[in-house]
Amino acid sequence: AEHQHVRYNPLRDDWVLVSAHRVKRPWQGQLEKPPPEDVPRWDPKNPLCPGATRANGEVNPKYEGTFVFPNDFPALQPDAPEPDDTDHPLFRAAPAQGVCKVMCFHPWSDLTLPLMSLPEIRAVIDAWAEQMTELGASYPWVQIFENKGEMMGCSNPHPHCQVWASSFLPNEARLEDRTQCQHLSQHGVPMLLEYAEQEARRKERLVVENADWLVVVPYWATWPYQTLLLPRRHVCRLQDLSDSEKDSLASIMQRLLIKYDNLFEVSFPYSMGWHGAPTGTYLEKDCRHWQLHAHYFPPLLRSATVRKFMVGYEMLAQAQRDLTPEQAAERLRSLPEVHYKKRAE
């Protein structure tokens, strides 16, 4: 905890430098603005609100639960032409087609996931599984991800996520496919299933757990309060979860996100996303090496206004963190599971 060392990340086949003593240095860098607390519940000018008009002129229905629609500015389109052939191996290109969607979690703009009810969170999980099934029938990779907060590049405070389906396996998916396949071949057990069992027994990086799930600050975490959400049984894809596992997933997500908000008593920014076995033609292949999991990457380090920057050494050498994963887990674990906005109720 006091001396620098490097830790191996078997999921990405890389290393992170841990320098716990650096957290004691005074901060003289940039201070971020806390997120606004006065988000209106409904704003006719907000393109994600029920009944609002979006940039393309379409009017949203007056939805009362989740709402999924095609992204008006998609990064991937299903009918994109193939690139021209190249004349040199250093200038390679390949086709890229896909579909991008936006999913609103709730009709209210001021209600983030940790403030939603368990049935409302379960409805989000069901919508995620539906999108994975629908898009995964055609596309090999379906990436569900949520950018929460302006600090993570989110331009709209309305609670929502995105779903991008691609005709190719993205870099992180290809990397995790390779490392998990190698682990199963060498050790005879899926990597993250074995890892979850180890963390459940050791408990030093455990944040929250229930009968079906556990959340840990991974041993190899890069971001200060990064967490990994893992099922206890072997399950390859989000759509493979049972009803009871979806209920307990809603519960553990709520508990984790309340702790995040309680850490600095602010709507906690993060990027999160689900990783599971590829889909499309991979549905017919052996994907036993995969284990479903969700990554949470929050940027905050010392307070609601001081963030972790990935620059310099991180960009040119390797990832580096100050707070140890064990210290981060202990702090998150000790936080109350009643949201700070509801304590006076």
Side-chain angles (χ1 to χ4, degrees):
E2 295 296 328
H3 302 286
Q4 69 268 15
H5 59 281
V6 293
R7 296 190 183 191
Y8 180 63
N9 181 347
L11 195 57
R12 301 196 73 258
D13 189 25
D14 64 10
W15 296 80
V16 58
L17 172 62
V18 182
S19 311
H21 57 283
R22 278 171 50 86
V23 79
K24 299 176 183 178
R25 75 191 193 281
W27 180 256
Q28 295 177 314
Q30 177 174 323
L31 298 179
E32 308 288 342
K33 291 190 303 181
E37 295 283 346
D38 56 348
V39 176
R41 178 154 293 182
W42 183 81
D43 181 355
K45 297 179 181 179
N46 186 329
L48 298 187
C49 281
T53 302
R54 304 204 307 273
N56 63 358
E58 292 191 25
V59 178
N60 295 334
K62 294 184 178 179
Y63 63 93
E64 297 180 351
T66 60
F67 171 49
V68 181
F69 63 92
N71 194 313
D72 297 329
F73 303 96
L76 292 162
Q77 297 176 325
D79 54 357
E82 295 191 9
D84 296 333
D85 293 334
T86 60
D87 59 357
H88 194 283
L90 293 179
F91 300 93
R92 296 168 60 189
Q97 288 89 31
V99 172
C100 296
K101 295 185 178 183
V102 176
M103 179 191 297
C104 295
F105 296 154
H106 195 279
W108 295 356
S109 292
D110 60 344
L111 202 66
T112 57
L113 279 171
L115 293 170
M116 289 167 59
S117 69
L118 288 177
E120 289 168 337
I121 298 174
R122 169 63 196 267
V124 171
I125 294 168
D126 287 338
W128 283 343
E130 290 168 5
Q131 291 301 309
M132 289 292 298
T133 301
E134 175 188 330
L135 295 172
S138 304
Y139 291 99
W141 190 256
V142 182
Q143 184 59 65
I144 295 170
F145 65 97
E146 178 193 4
N147 294 324
K148 180 172 178 262
E150 293 179 358
M151 202 179 297
M152 296 309 294
C154 183
S155 59
N156 193 309
H158 193 95
H160 71 285
C161 72
Q162 299 190 54
V163 185
W164 292 14
S166 62
S167 62
F168 55 91
L169 289 188
N171 292 341
E172 293 298 314
R174 286 191 292 110
L175 182 57
E176 289 193 4
D177 186 63
R178 175 176 63 81
T179 57
Q180 290 181 95
C181 187
Q182 289 174 345
H183 188 92
L184 181 64
S185 176
Q186 294 171 4
H187 302 281
V189 61
M191 177 198 295
L192 292 181
L193 181 63
E194 181 178 12
Y195 179 67
E197 291 170 350
Q198 286 288 322
E199 289 287 31
R201 181 174 61 83
R202 296 169 186 257
K203 297 192 180 301
E204 57 188 329
R205 285 169 294 275
L206 191 66
V207 178
V208 287
E209 63 178 329
N210 61 25
D212 299 313
W213 301 87
L214 68 157
V215 176
V216 300
V217 178
Y219 177 79
W220 52 79
T222 297
W223 294 92
Y225 292 98
Q226 175 181 338
T227 55
L228 186 62
L229 172 56
L230 296 162
R232 291 185 184 271
R233 78 170 176 97
H234 185 208
V235 54
C236 291
R237 298 177 178 94
L238 191 65
Q239 58 268 44
D240 297 336
L241 296 174
S242 67
D243 283 342
S244 63
E245 286 170 329
K246 291 176 183 176
D247 285 339
S248 58
L249 174 57
S251 174
I252 204 164
M253 282 175 53
Q254 184 188 63
R255 293 169 63 196
L256 169 65
L257 297 179
I258 286 174
K259 284 179 177 289
Y260 269 158
D261 280 10
N262 284 345
L263 180 59
F264 299 127
E265 296 198 346
V266 70
S267 184
F268 207 70
Y270 58 74
S271 284
M272 73 79 66
W274 285 99
H275 282 175
T279 49
T281 57
Y282 289 86
L283 292 170
E284 306 299 323
K285 298 181 179 180
D286 184 0
C287 290
R288 288 176 300 134
H289 54 288
W290 271 92
Q291 175 74 329
L292 176 70
H293 59 283
H295 296 280
Y296 285 83
F297 300 121
L300 294 179
L301 173 58
R302 298 166 181 242
S303 70
T305 60
V306 177
R307 66 177 298 175
K308 164 71 176 177
F309 290 92
M310 290 290 183
V311 295
Y313 189 86
E314 290 88 355
M315 296 178 71
L316 295 165
Q318 69 181 35
Q320 181 271 334
R321 63 176 292 125
D322 297 345
L323 194 69
T324 69
E326 293 75 24
Q327 291 168 334
E330 182 179 11
R331 187 165 184 190
L332 289 173
R333 188 167 54 243
S334 66
L335 291 167
E337 295 187 9
V338 176
H339 198 279
Y340 71 92
K341 288 186 176 181
K342 295 185 176 182
R343 288 178 198 160
E345 293 181 2

